[in-house]
Amino acid sequence: DIQMTQSPSSLSASVGDRVTITCRASQGIRNDLGWFQQKPGKAPKRLIYAASSLQSGVPSRFSGSGSGTEFTLTISSLQPEDFATYYCLQHNSFPWTFGQGTKVEIK
Amino acid sequence: QVQLVESGGGVVQPGRSLRLSCVASGFTFSSHGMHWVRQAPGKGLEWVAVIWYDGSNKYYADSVKGRFTISRDNSNDTLYLQMDSLRAEDTAVYYCARETPRGVDYWGQGTLVTVSS
């Protein structure tokens, strides 16, 4: 099984800050990775697909990069509505696996 | 617009069974693979199972293999998850999600399963 190691597990940031979240795969997964945002009591929402493509309707302050084993989600200027938990998901091979999540909190 | 609506959750005793449903609308259901993903209270997301668009292939997480069965009815745009021999650790919100060539995009709102005596 492919392990996804996501870091940090939580972070505190202020509105306007640049935030970076990383996922590392235990083996190469090409660009078969998505990033999801989840708010309390809600279903996850996809932000990024194919590691770096922005989902339609998602603000351009969100971006993704990486390929192979190292992936990054960046929020260029954190907004109040961005405080949430973020997950990466690899869909290169079954079983699909998620990162452990990163909770972004208000500083 | 794409909609996925889960139902069938509830409180069930350990060892008993439950069947979840996910009704799809707004897209051609029979053209998409479908997944179940779950989330235990206060925990992260866990992939559970997938079924091919035509039902020809199915894969499961080790944690549910042999106890859960994924199936679909393309004539009624409905996905199912039959859960047998339920355990306390199966307590979670269960989401269905639509597959595309680039992973999963749309998710349902989830249905809560609580396994407790």
Side-chain angles (χ1 to χ4, degrees):
Chain A
D1 298 1
I2 297 173
Q3 309 302 317
M4 300 301 296
T5 303
Q6 186 173 340
S7 61
S9 56
S10 66
L11 64 90
S12 295
S14 301
V15 173
D17 283 354
R18 182 182 183 88
V19 168
T20 299
I21 299 168
T22 298
C23 263
R24 179 176 292 110
S26 59
Q27 63 191 74
I29 59 169
R30 304 181 303 185
N31 68 339
D32 297 331
L33 182 118
W35 288 98
F36 294 83
Q37 176 193 68
Q38 188 180 33
K39 296 183 178 179
K42 299 294 186 182
K45 170 188 172 185
R46 190 167 73 170
L47 304 174
I48 301 288
Y49 64 93
S52 59
S53 295
L54 190 67
Q55 181 74 28
S56 175
V58 172
S60 59
R61 62 181 179 274
F62 292 94
S63 64
S65 64
S67 182
T69 61
E70 293 278 340
F71 302 88
T72 299
L73 174 70
T74 299
I75 309 172
S76 60
S77 178
L78 200 65
Q79 297 302 300
E81 59 269 32
D82 300 337
F83 292 96
T85 302
Y86 294 84
Y87 295 92
C88 62
L89 167 64
Q90 71 81 17
H91 56 90
N92 178 264
S93 64
F94 294 115
W96 287 10
T97 43
F98 289 89
Q100 301 93 323
T102 297
K103 186 172 184 179
V104 177
E105 298 175 304
I106 302 172
K107 182 184 279 186
Chain B
Q1 72 281 21
V2 172
Q3 274 202 302
L4 298 167
V5 179
E6 302 95 336
S7 62
V11 180
V12 60
Q13 293 180 327
R16 304 298 291 263
S17 299
L18 206 60
R19 189 177 81 157
L20 306 183
S21 300
C22 167
V23 176
S25 61
F27 66 101
T28 304
F29 180 71
S30 59
S31 296
H32 290 263
M34 294 295 296
H35 296 252
W36 287 100
V37 175
R38 69 183 180 182
Q39 187 169 37
K43 302 298 184 182
L45 298 166
E46 179 187 16
W47 177 83
V48 173
V50 60
I51 186 168
W52 257 225
Y53 69 100
D54 59 356
S56 61
N57 276 293
K58 307 171 186 180
Y59 292 93
Y60 299 91
D62 285 347
S63 58
V64 307
K65 201 173 296 182
R67 300 187 300 120
F68 289 13
T69 303
I70 189 171
S71 62
R72 66 190 298 157
D73 180 352
N74 283 348
S75 62
N76 286 300
D77 295 344
T78 303
L79 173 72
Y80 300 102
L81 186 67
Q82 176 67 40
M83 304 186 295
D84 298 324
S85 303
L86 281 161
R87 306 167 180 167
E89 54 265 35
D90 296 320
T91 294
V93 173
Y94 286 74
Y95 298 99
C96 61
R98 182 181 81 162
E99 181 173 329
T100 72
R102 297 295 198 174
V104 289
D105 54 1
Y106 289 94
W107 299 57
Q109 84 290 348
T111 187
L112 175 62
V113 173
T114 302
V115 183
S116 173
S117 54

